[in-house]
Amino acid sequence: MVSSHHLQQQSFFLIQDFGQARTLNSRCDFSQNLQKRGCDDPFIENPRSGSSLLRSKPLSSKGSGVTQYDVIQIYPQKISLSLRPGDQTSFEVQVRPVEDYPVDLYYLMDLSLSMKDDLDTIRNLGTKLAEEMRKLTSNFRLGFGSFVDKNISPFSYTAPKYQDNPCNGYKLFPNCVPTFGFRHLLSLTDKVDRFNEEVQKQLVSRNRDAPEGGFDAILQAAVCKEKIGWRKEAYHLLVFATDDVPHLALDGKLGGLVHPHDGQCHLNDKNEYSAANMMDYPSLALLGEKLAENNIFLIFAVTKRHYVLYKNLTALIPGTTVEILDQDSKNIIQLIVNAYNNIRSKVELSVWDHPEDLNLAFTATCQDGQPLTGLRKCADLKIGDTVSFNITVDARGCPPKGTRKGFIIRPVGFKDRLEVSVDYRCDCSCTYYTKSNSSRCNSAGTYSCGMCHCEPGYLGARCECEEGEVDHQHLSACREAEGKQVCSGRGECSCNQCLCYESEFGKIYGTFCECDDFSCARHKGILCSGHGECHCGECKCHAGYIGDNCNCSTETASCASDDGKICSGRGSCVCGRCQCTEPGAFGDTCEKCPTCPDACGTKRECIECRLFNTGRLADNQTCQRMCKDEIITVETLKTDDSNTVQCVYKTENDCVMKFTYSEHANGQSVLTALKEPECAVAPNAMTVLLAVVGSILLMGIVLLAIWKLVITIHDRREFARFQSARSRARYEMASNPVYKQSIPSHPMETDFHMHSIKSCNGGVH
């Protein structure tokens, strides 16, 4: 039997003479073109990109219990990619947030003087919070830390009389503890009474300027893992409670701190931040990196007047949410529960150690089953829902031979991750038969895969010419077409082939020097917008970008509204921005539309959950996230404003709720609603009964009266007719000429006759 190696070698020698002698790239073409020129399919090498599973444990369904250390929330866990540059491959990732997952919550509190009333409110927070959180997880631990600011000028009072008591001379509150940066007070523990005890020991301090040093504290709480007590197999929640703005990187220069933060843990034996007066405040980038590195969800619990500022920070720090804190922190428990449910209802993928020469494009398939191109997150999930993401990868080039790279895909805030290793398919099997100084190359080049790679100074398909030799009889071989310039005017013809000039703008190449890598469309002066490669005057866009100049992103994450829909269902996502198609719709995600048919229905859900804690959004614990509009309650609703949309709906109790919807010039949505729905007063049952009986009796009396009236009228008519007939009868008896009274001949006849008349008259009735 002939070995496969010998068969490959025999095939190689059978096809080594394929192709035109002078065309260097004739052996490299599309398969169909090679077949047309006589190269049979078995001899064509066309390596393709692919993927293979290396570790694929099934997803778990429950977090706590005896299996809590083996919980799997991402599938698969490890894969290998084999990439050929320019050839894409895809793989699927599934994520399932399990129920009853352990939770570590570290409460980081601003203890500046303005938070005194908040400190009084949370004296017994531990017990109450544990009761609420145990409704969501059976494995809950709680920790506590506090911060103020750097104890140097101009951030704090540094005069000697303020060293022990920064409140010295402050009439409203004359006594407080010295200023400190960050103090770790209680490591994460399931003994929540310890939290209450520690909180009750605390006293407020005082700093000089309005901003606080909270970002120093956040970073220390994130990186000092051993002292804080973060568990690997738990959700990490860091609640940051404050009533003011934070100091940012470079603010430290005001106090002479020029060293940037090193991102390391600097807690001393007293669990106090020892480098507060030595390094600048951390930057947002460093803060986001350390939070993501340690799988920590940061919850900004801030007062209403600073909500917008911290909301903008959440866009720069992945895995961060913001909630509105009451002035005295009385809503802190509900705030934490809402934030936790908000976090658990979202899955967002992040990429770590992303190689620069790889392009990644995401398509999310959330709970509705519809693929969303360019989206790497899903929202409004229920615990136990499984979502999937299709990830397309392609390589832009070939690294040095033997290079292996990799990257990590991880859901934000999860310990679970997918490890992806990458190797590059940049060689064909025919390269195994490479021969240097080959006679086929006139001993002046290396023969590989049927082509010669000439030594410096030699040219030609077989290295048969030396540089400088010009055969003027064959200059036509260096023209793309008759009448065209030799080598397109950008090179010299040598040995019947073009030698392209060098250019300060880039590379000129091609059989006739017709191509370059710099004559492509630009966007804002950047070639192919920086998101593609220029090939022969045409931009070849990286994965995730399209357009003539590759300036159009296919990512749709920025177009996703709070309800998870692309452009709120009122437009389309073009180049990463919403183009609203519904008349009257506007806003970054077309979320504002007072005149849309569904505007009243959408705002109704916010009225229900915000004012009455009812409706669909209240059930899903998404009210705070989806309903950020200002709601004003009034006793009487004004409906004469032409700039407002009037909305009315019927409640479950058959009452009528009315509200108006308008958009201010600053872009803020305002809802004005009645304090209570309008309800009709229910009638009394006895009153209804009496009314019904009375109505029946009254109707009977009326009918009897009508009947009596009809009978009376009828009788009177009959009596009148009788009287008329009687009168007529008398007249006839008295004046009838035919009638003549008889005269008796004898007196007795007269008496008898009269008696008869009386008898007759007496008998008439």
Side-chain angles (χ1 to χ4, degrees), residues 446-566:
T446 301
Y447 188 70
S448 179
C449 295
M451 297 173 63
C452 288
H453 302 276
C454 303
E455 299 291 340
Y458 291 89
L459 303 170
R462 294 290 179 260
C463 306
E464 66 273 20
C465 299
E466 295 186 29
E467 288 186 7
E469 293 182 2
V470 180
D471 187 351
H472 294 284
Q473 297 179 354
H474 296 90
L475 285 178
S476 59
C478 295
R479 289 189 176 92
E480 189 173 4
E482 190 65 33
K484 293 278 189 178
Q485 287 182 293
V486 174
C487 297
S488 304
R490 303 199 295 180
E492 294 180 353
C493 185
S494 179
C495 195
N496 299 334
Q497 69 182 48
C498 288
L499 296 178
C500 302
Y501 298 140
E502 292 184 358
S503 172
E504 59 180 328
F505 301 110
K507 179 182 177 182
I508 299 174
Y509 62 96
T511 304
F512 308 102
C513 301
E514 74 278 11
C515 295
D516 61 59
D517 61 1
F518 53 83
S519 296
C520 288
R522 297 172 182 264
H523 180 66
K524 295 182 179 180
I526 301 176
L527 190 68
C528 298
S529 305
H531 302 303
E533 308 294 337
C534 182
H535 291 285
C536 204
E538 182 180 354
C539 286
K540 302 294 184 183
C541 302
H542 300 160
Y545 292 91
I546 58 175
D548 293 339
N549 54 11
C550 302
N551 69 323
C552 186
S553 172
T554 59
E555 284 276 350
T556 58
S558 58
C559 296
S561 54
D562 288 335
D563 58 2
K565 296 181 180 178
I566 298 298

Side-chain angles (χ1 to χ4, degrees), residues 287-523:
L287 203 61
E289 177 186 339
K290 294 303 178 182
L291 288 170
E293 191 176 289
N294 294 284
N295 306 320
I296 295 175
F297 287 106
L298 176 61
I299 303 170
F300 287 127
V302 300
T303 50
K304 187 174 182 179
R305 67 192 181 105
H306 297 303
Y307 175 83
V308 174
L309 169 67
Y310 283 93
K311 180 66 175 177
N312 292 335
L313 293 180
T314 63
L316 304 173
I317 307 176
T320 306
T321 60
V322 59
E323 300 287 344
I324 297 177
L325 181 70
D326 288 347
Q327 289 293 339
D328 58 357
S329 297
K330 63 183 179 182
N331 68 329
I332 187 64
I333 293 180
Q334 189 58 44
L335 181 152
I336 293 173
V337 171
N338 288 344
Y340 173 77
N341 286 322
N342 185 15
I343 291 168
R344 293 302 311 272
S345 69
K346 292 189 298 187
V347 170
E348 181 176 2
L349 298 186
S350 61
V351 181
W352 290 75
D353 303 326
H354 184 183
E356 293 183 357
D357 61 345
L358 295 184
N359 301 318
L360 275 68
F362 293 80
T363 298
T365 303
C366 302
Q367 65 273 27
D368 59 359
Q370 297 297 321
L372 301 171
T373 304
L375 202 64
R376 61 171 73 183
K377 69 177 180 180
C378 291
D380 290 335
L381 303 177
K382 295 179 180 178
I383 302 300
D385 283 351
T386 303
V387 295
S388 62
F389 301 87
N390 185 274
I391 304 171
T392 301
V393 187
D394 71 87
R396 297 198 294 269
C398 289
K401 194 170 183 179
T403 299
R404 290 184 63 89
K405 297 184 179 180
F407 57 93
I408 293 171
I409 294 177
R410 188 167 65 191
V412 174
F414 288 56
K415 73 176 182 65
D416 306 74
R417 63 184 193 173
L418 166 62
E419 298 177 12
V420 182
S421 60
V422 180
D423 66 84
Y424 297 80
R425 305 192 67 178
C426 294
D427 295 320
C428 296
S429 60
C430 57
T431 57
Y432 297 132
Y433 310 107
T434 298
K435 185 177 182 182
S436 59
N437 297 321
S438 172
S439 59
R440 290 182 171 273
C441 302
N442 293 295
S443 300
T446 301
Y447 188 70
S448 179
C449 295
M451 297 173 63
C452 288
H453 302 276
C454 303
E455 299 291 340
Y458 291 89
L459 303 170
R462 294 290 179 260
C463 306
E464 66 273 20
C465 299
E466 295 186 29
E467 288 186 7
E469 293 182 2
V470 180
D471 187 351
H472 294 284
Q473 297 179 354
H474 296 90
L475 285 178
S476 59
C478 295
R479 289 189 176 92
E480 189 173 4
E482 190 65 33
K484 293 278 189 178
Q485 287 182 293
V486 174
C487 297
S488 304
R490 303 199 295 180
E492 294 180 353
C493 185
S494 179
C495 195
N496 299 334
Q497 69 182 48
C498 288
L499 296 178
C500 302
Y501 298 140
E502 292 184 358
S503 172
E504 59 180 328
F505 301 110
K507 179 182 177 182
I508 299 174
Y509 62 96
T511 304
F512 308 102
C513 301
E514 74 278 11
C515 295
D516 61 59
D517 61 1
F518 53 83
S519 296
C520 288
R522 297 172 182 264
H523 180 66

